[in-house]
Amino acid sequence: MRERTRSVLGSWDTVVLVGLVLVILIGAATVDGAATPRFWRFVILEVIPIALIALPMTLVIITGEIDLSVASVLGLTCTAFGQMWAWGVTSLPALLALCLLLGAVLGAVNGLFVTGFGLPSLAVTIGTLALYRGLAYVVLGDRAVANYPPQWTTGAIRPIPGTTIPWTVLVVGVLAIVFGIVLHATPIGRGIYAMGNNADAARFSGVSVRRTKFWIFVATGAMSALAGVFWTLRFASARADNGTGLELAVVAAVLLGGVSIFGGRGGLVGVLGAVALLATLRNTLQLAYVPANTLTIITGSLLIVSVVGPNVAAAVRERLRRRRSTTSTTESAAG
Amino acid sequence: MRAGTRSVRAVVLAALAALTLATTACTDEGTTGGGAAPSAGATTIKEGLKITFLPKQVNNPYFDTSDNKGGKVAVEEFKGVYAQTGPSDTGASAQVSYINTLSQQQVDVIVVSANDKDAICGALNEARQGGAKVVTYDSDTNPSCRDLFINQATAEGIAKSQIKLISEAIGPDGGEIAILSATANATNQNAWIEMMKTELAKPENAKLKLVATVYGDDNDQKSFAEAQGLLAKYPNLKGIISPTTVGVAAAARYLSGSSYKGKVQLTGLGTPNQMRAYVKDGTVKAFALWNPADLGYLAAYAAGALASGIITGKEGDKFKAGKLGEFTVGANATVLLGDPFAFNAGNIDQFNF
Amino acid sequence: MAAQTALRTEPATPARSTAGARIVRRAFVVRELGIVLALALLVVVTAAVNPRFLSAQSIKDLLLGSTILAILAVGQTIVVVSRNVDLSVGSVLGLAAFATGSLFVASPNLPIPVVLLAGVLLGAACGAVNGALVAAARVPALVVTLGTLYVFRGIDYSWAGGRQINAANMPAGFLWMGSTAILGAVPYLALFAVVVLVVAGLYLSWYSSGRDLYAIGSNPSAAHLAGIPVGRRVFAAFVVSGALAGLAGVLHAARFGTLDANAGLGNELDVIAAVVVGGVAIFGGSGSVYGAAVGAVLLTTIGSALPVLGVDPFWQRAAVGALILAAIGLDRALSARLARRLRTRRGGRRA
């Protein structure tokens, strides 16, 4: 089945990007207020945490694993940030460094369970999803910490001079380039694709599967923590329920971006395009007075279409090919 | 990847880059606010004002009454344009994206009941910079990010009424009581709970002891479970106060189907329609509320007056709120609706909301 | 066809008496017993701290609370055993619950069995959508049910609008069923769960189509080559999961009375937690519905016991997370040990 879907998925990024352009064009033409500078400001503010987490999540899913605990890492980081601030840590670089370290440790725990003990990542990260979120509630309970200095909170979302776009999007851009280079232009990246396709073959080829996966989980934790710091400062509020449910939005965006859940396929361009597409679509429709429920239905349907579409297209192609050829000796594999 | 695909991708990426540059390169134009600036000293509410209600959560019958049966009626009376939008969960940051959308849609006034005192401040201030006015109702934000606050009743008034009701229900022997609140960050809840504690410290309430405060997050299932937990943990509990319509309804339902019915008293802030069955079957002796429709109605008129320049939020400003009469702005840009009203078996059938 | 069935049943007879099978079954029993022991320990400790924990009211609350989760867990087990997952159960529950409420508002004298049937059918229809996409379009269940989680919830919100159906709108008999108990301790609702549990348990162990699910979960390609109609079985598994979620929705309406579009939000993670803690392997092939049901009861009991034990209820979520990790770690250790013992035994016999 992988052979059948490859040719279609290979151009999936293009489909996503074309979709994004269409949404922008149609939105700008028909909806009052869409695709204006202010619109982009709000879209980008919303998208930054999702994009930050989607970058390492892409790598995780390409290797054939999954990490559902990202939103809980975000939440726990938010509460840690808030609690440390309440205890008197007033240096922003120190807070940032400590939070990133925390995220890396949390990711390392995931990595340890998956690569060290050989447990399935789906089950492990469902467990750590509950564990980390629970710890977030233990740290702050039901309270919120909200008295950060205004220069931090407005500073986090300050626009680049001359535009309305927050400067933090540049941070996302730099990180995206780094992840992109690692994934598409280094042996590590090729190893990631290899282990997603066939872990044993990759291991025999000299790829250190366990070590790579471990560090990808660490990176995921650190990026989730970074997203958590941004979240706290953007909303000027650290609470234990920050980011609840975000993991599904990230996974949905990554899958919509063409990354196969089986691993071994997909790329960052498609994922970032999908992240932008979902946010732009949602904001455009909200501006057009479309109720939130319809948006939920649309997101879900897009997700299903993004995986069913290639399969159906490939099946149709296969049937046409079989009808054309007179002798069909190759039978499709069981699945 | 086939060469054809690669070149298509390159073209698309270039188009995308061009598009985003075109739409973002220009600096933020001096945004004209929603509608013309209010003329000071005006006496009538302008026509065509766009007023949108943004409650804590949209699928809450309390807000359904205040917004759609109160606010909407008022806005239509002064020929404005009414809308209601909002999140379905009471998360602190859930309201932010709606505020951003409203400010882009250039509404004249955002009437909001805040889930969290501070989390939406940034978005509200950006909206105000864009020309919108902000009126809070039911649950306030930090005063620095709103123009006016419509309070349903003073915190003291609510606290006094709640303590009085539970004390009367439990009887002169007193006992342990607990509070089942909404979300831990809700400004109004915390203000009321603080005043209740002050009230409990008074000598006439010496026999009542507050042993716990739990949070049901205005979620029916969670409130139900919290009520259950309270009774499991405190065997000597004599009364529960739930100053939230979702909480008191859930607690009443639990008590009414349990062995504690009649033995553990319940009071709170509830709507007559939700509580009628429990008052009739003896689970609840009395509870209080104000008319939420009146609250929404007043908030809409205040919003209209603010956007038209009739009032500015200064203490002493006066405005007329349709059939409710004349109101004066108090300290801290707050307008008070009135006093809470106690419902019991004797009068509950007269009301329908 | 007859030859095929003969082919499939023939090896079964000698397998039942091999030592290997005995070891596997013993491990199975140990795992299930382990959770039951953990549950018993928790109850005993909590009751020692506060005897009110064992009062009739308290037991009734516990059983009521775990009924709905247990029914969902049974449905989820059937799906997980075949190496799939169903994340949409919370949304299906919400839809069915609101449908129940709407039916009663429209015609208050509807007999309860009719409403139950309606809920089950609605759930089954949702399950059929999932099953068709997974089985026919060969799409991974995680993605499909993630999508339908959104779609069904969106439909629920659209249908409900901002409305809330109050307990006052429901017939008294229905609500009575949802909160009354025999002898004050065993709720009628729990009887539903027991019936569902027994039927599902028997189906999975006695019927070949039930056992096929285990085969599919262990090795899908081998199952396909052995002649098992994989697509049909997986489709049926999703329909059953959906139907049970629909039933859970009706019971939710009976228990809580007040319904809005948020019913069942977030349930799916609790259900998967219950299933994993109950010993069902997330990658399919092993586990039983009895274990999953006990897992559901254990999780609910933790929620009620923690406040009684004086533990800050905020530790509850963290405790559940730790429990899940411990459970899968234990399962992995157990299955590794099992594999080693089977290997040495086989080697011994050959020698």
Side-chain angles (χ1 to χ4, degrees):
Chain A
M1 179 161 87
R2 291 217 189 117
E3 301 310 310
R4 283 193 281 168
T5 54
R6 187 213 313 232
S7 54
V8 182
L9 273 181
S11 56
W12 186 257
D13 324 12
T14 326
V15 174
V16 170
L17 291 175
V18 168
L20 179 59
V21 170
L22 279 176
V23 166
I24 296 176
L25 286 175
I26 298 178
T30 56
V31 177
D32 205 12
T36 58
R38 276 188 94 201
F39 175 83
W40 288 122
R41 178 178 170 72
F42 293 136
V43 166
I44 289 181
L45 278 176
E46 208 178 284
V47 144
I48 287 177
I50 300 181
L52 280 174
I53 304 181
L55 293 173
M57 183 70 93
T58 308
L59 270 59
V60 169
I61 297 186
I62 292 180
T63 60
E65 308 288 349
I66 191 164
D67 187 350
L68 292 177
S69 66
V70 286
S72 302
V73 174
L74 187 152
L76 184 49
T77 311
C78 286
T79 55
F81 188 95
Q83 186 63 281
M84 288 192 283
W85 164 257
W87 278 336
V89 181
T90 50
S91 141
L92 185 56
L95 281 171
L96 185 60
L98 285 170
C99 285
L100 285 177
L101 185 63
L102 174 67
V105 166
L106 296 175
V109 168
N110 280 331
L112 180 65
F113 275 106
V114 173
T115 61
F117 303 153
L119 301 175
S121 57
L122 180 62
V124 167
T125 55
I126 287 180
T128 47
L129 179 155
L131 179 63
Y132 295 158
R133 183 65 67 183
L135 290 176
Y137 275 96
V138 169
V139 169
L140 271 192
D142 263 332
R143 301 173 290 135
V145 178
N147 53 344
Y148 307 106
Q151 59 262 38
W152 288 10
T153 51
T154 46
I157 56 179
R158 183 166 314 147
I160 303 169
T163 68
T164 57
I165 311 303
W167 68 274
T168 24
V169 78
L170 295 174
V171 175
V172 176
V174 167
L175 287 168
I177 294 176
V178 169
F179 273 91
I181 292 177
V182 167
L183 185 61
H184 295 296
T186 61
I188 301 175
R190 282 195 289 280
I192 291 175
Y193 279 106
M195 67 180 90
N197 272 302
N198 190 329
D200 288 325
R203 200 173 299 126
F204 288 134
S205 313
V207 177
S208 51
V209 174
R210 282 165 58 168
R211 193 146 35 107
T212 315
K213 282 190 184 178
F214 176 80
W215 286 109
I216 293 180
F217 275 105
V218 171
T220 311
M223 292 294 273
S224 307
L226 183 61
V229 172
F230 175 77
W231 188 285
T232 311
L233 291 179
R234 186 220 161 171
F235 291 110
S237 169
R239 288 174 57 133
D241 64 359
N242 279 4
T244 309
L246 201 65
E247 69 276 347
L248 294 181
V250 173
V251 170
V254 171
L255 293 175
L256 187 63
V259 176
S260 165
I261 191 76
F262 297 119
R265 301 251 168 272
L268 273 179
V269 176
V271 168
L272 290 174
V275 168
L277 173 62
L278 283 175
T280 310
L281 186 61
R282 193 175 45 247
N283 277 281
T284 309
L285 290 176
Q286 212 167 308
L287 266 182
Y289 300 99
V290 171
N293 328 322
T294 320
L295 295 177
T296 318
I297 299 178
I298 291 177
T299 312
S301 314
L302 273 177
L303 187 60
I304 297 178
V305 163
S306 79
V307 281
V308 171
N311 277 20
V312 168
V316 166
R317 199 172 296 171
E318 181 71 20
R319 196 158 299 174
L320 286 174
R321 192 174 346 130
R322 231 184 278 155
R323 207 171 290 161
R324 254 183 275 131
S325 70
T326 46
T327 52
S328 53
T329 47
T330 11
E331 245 177 339
S332 46
Chain B
M1 207 175 8
R2 302 189 301 268
T5 318
R6 202 173 295 168
S7 56
V8 171
R9 252 210 359 206
V11 169
V12 172
L13 276 171
L16 209 58
L19 251 181
T20 42
L21 270 175
T23 55
T24 64
C26 20
T27 53
D28 195 7
E29 330 98 14
T31 39
T32 52
S39 40
T43 46
T44 50
I45 297 182
K46 276 201 283 233
E47 291 198 4
L49 289 173
K50 293 206 286 194
I51 300 185
T52 303
F53 276 73
L54 179 57
K56 280 186 187 174
Q57 55 175 156
V58 285
N59 46 335
N60 183 321
Y62 172 83
F63 288 112
D64 189 51
T65 311
S66 69
D67 300 348
N68 294 324
K69 302 205 175 65
K72 182 161 189 231
V73 169
V75 172
E76 283 169 0
E77 272 177 23
F78 58 75
K79 301 204 184 34
V81 177
Y82 166 84
Q84 187 212 41
T85 185
S88 17
D89 67 281
T90 50
S93 37
Q95 291 175 310
V96 170
S97 98
Y98 291 94
I99 297 174
N100 289 340
T101 303
L102 288 177
S103 91
Q104 288 177 80
Q105 287 169 333
Q106 313 235 295
V107 299
D108 293 296
V109 191
I110 302 177
V111 184
V112 58
S113 171
N115 278 321
D116 180 286
K117 195 157 89 358
D118 298 298
I120 57 175
C121 258
L124 283 178
N125 277 330
E126 275 205 47
R128 286 161 91 200
Q129 273 162 22
K133 295 270 180 229
V134 172
V135 172
T136 50
Y137 74 117
D138 178 73
S139 180
D140 201 5
T141 58
N142 196 310
S144 65
C145 37
R146 47 89 169 150
D147 296 305
L148 210 58
F149 172 44
I150 315 298
N151 201 352
Q152 48 260 30
T154 56
E156 293 98 300
I158 293 175
K160 267 206 176 66
S161 131
Q162 297 283 280
I163 300 293
K164 178 159 161 296
L165 287 174
I166 199 74
S167 172
E168 282 171 4
I170 294 180
D173 295 328
E176 294 182 355
I177 60 170
I179 296 179
L180 168 59
S181 178
T183 52
N185 273 67
T187 331
N188 51 358
Q189 295 285 320
N190 290 338
W192 301 338
I193 292 175
E194 275 314 299
M195 293 312 310
M196 278 192 236
K197 289 185 181 157
T198 316
E199 201 56 33
L200 283 169
K202 293 191 182 156
E204 59 261 30
N205 294 320
K207 288 230 166 89
L208 292 173
K209 191 159 94 88
L210 178 66
V211 293
T213 306
V214 295
Y215 301 97
D217 292 350
D218 264 349
N219 176 306
D220 187 81
Q221 272 172 267
K222 183 153 192 267
S223 305
F224 194 93
E226 290 293 340
Q228 192 176 304
L230 277 176
L231 286 157
K233 186 160 180 213
Y234 299 99
N236 296 323
L237 197 66
K238 286 279 180 301
I240 300 179
I241 301 179
S242 188
T244 152
T245 55
V246 176
V248 76
R253 222 168 54 242
Y254 174 69
L255 282 176
S256 144
S258 75
S259 55
Y260 306 113
K261 175 170 142 180
K263 300 198 196 113
V264 178
Q265 299 300 326
L266 172 68
T267 190
L269 299 172
T271 63
N273 283 2
Q274 274 184 305
M275 301 297 289
R276 185 166 291 120
Y278 307 112
V279 169
K280 297 253 164 102
D281 78 3
T283 313
V284 176
K285 292 196 179 139
F287 63 95
L289 196 65
W290 44 86
N291 190 337
D294 283 349
L295 180 67
Y297 188 87
L298 176 59
Y301 264 100
L306 190 65
S308 313
I310 301 175
I311 57 175
T312 56
K314 205 162 81 271
E315 188 170 349
D317 275 350
K318 289 194 206 303
F319 68 98
K320 191 163 178 319
K323 64 177 181 356
L324 288 178
E326 205 182 61
F327 283 83
T328 312
V329 178
N332 222 351
T334 303
V335 181
L336 201 58
L337 178 63
D339 278 321
F341 179 85
F343 300 95
N344 54 37
N347 61 21
I348 197 167
D349 284 324
Q350 302 165 16
F351 302 92
N352 182 11
F353 63 88
Chain C
M1 241 336 127
Q4 238 175 342
T5 19
L7 216 69
R8 265 195 283 159
T9 51
E10 200 162 281
T13 334
R16 223 177 282 146
S17 56
T18 54
R22 269 208 299 273
I23 293 175
V24 173
R25 217 171 308 130
R26 202 187 311 160
F28 221 44
V29 170
V30 164
R31 183 65 175 78
E32 320 281 281
L33 266 177
I35 328 169
V36 174
L37 275 175
L39 178 62
L41 190 66
L42 182 62
V43 170
V44 164
V45 168
T46 317
V49 169
N50 184 344
R52 217 189 209 196
F53 195 66
L54 280 180
S55 69
Q57 174 68 33
S58 183
I59 294 185
K60 174 182 144 190
D61 287 334
L62 265 175
L63 288 176
L64 268 179
S66 45
T67 295
I68 292 173
L69 190 62
I71 294 180
L72 288 174
V74 167
Q76 188 73 226
T77 306
I78 294 177
V79 167
V80 170
V81 145
S82 67
R83 204 182 274 196
N84 290 301
V85 72
D86 187 353
L87 292 176
S88 64
V89 286
S91 307
V92 175
L93 185 153
L95 259 179
F98 202 80
T100 308
S102 306
L103 274 176
F104 276 127
V105 167
S107 53
N109 293 322
L110 224 51
I112 294 178
V114 171
V115 174
L116 279 169
L117 188 64
V120 168
L121 285 176
L122 176 62
C126 295
V129 169
N130 283 330
L133 286 170
V134 173
R138 306 269 195 85
V139 181
L142 182 71
V143 183
V144 167
T145 54
L146 185 61
T148 50
L149 180 157
Y150 284 131
V151 173
F152 292 154
R153 183 62 68 182
I155 294 177
D156 192 9
Y157 280 144
S158 300
W159 186 13
R163 286 177 295 144
Q164 198 186 59
I165 297 182
N166 280 327
N169 303 104
M170 308 276 234
F174 187 61
L175 292 175
W176 181 89
M177 176 183 85
S179 59
T180 325
I182 310 170
L183 297 176
V186 180
Y188 286 110
L189 239 48
L191 295 179
F192 277 98
V194 170
V195 168
V196 163
L197 183 62
V198 169
V199 169
L202 291 177
Y203 168 70
L204 282 179
S205 44
W206 283 3
Y207 284 77
S208 61
S209 50
R211 285 204 300 277
D212 284 348
L213 291 173
Y214 285 98
I216 297 171
S218 300
N219 193 331
S221 8
H224 190 93
L225 289 171
I228 296 177
V230 174
R232 234 188 304 154
R233 296 279 180 264
V234 169
F235 179 79
F238 274 99
V239 170
V240 169
S241 171
L244 287 177
L247 176 65
V250 178
L251 299 182
H252 176 108
R255 172 151 194 244
F256 290 105
T258 299
L259 302 163
D260 59 27
N262 278 333
L265 196 66
N267 270 10
E268 52 277 344
L269 288 176
D270 289 328
V271 173
I272 296 188
V275 159
V276 167
V277 166
V280 179
I282 199 78
F283 272 164
S286 75
S288 81
V289 288
Y290 303 109
V294 177
V297 175
L298 180 61
L299 284 180
T300 319
T301 311
I302 290 178
S304 309
L306 283 183
V308 174
L309 285 172
V311 176
D312 194 340
F314 290 128
W315 279 101
Q316 181 193 341
R317 219 170 304 214
V320 168
L323 199 64
I324 296 176
L325 292 172
I328 49 178
L330 181 68
D331 282 337
R332 173 55 59 120
L334 208 65
S335 68
R337 214 151 163 259
L338 203 64
R340 226 177 305 138
R341 284 187 73 184
L342 284 173
R343 227 178 292 138
T344 50
R345 187 160 283 272
R346 215 179 296 139
R349 275 167 97 218
R350 218 167 283 147

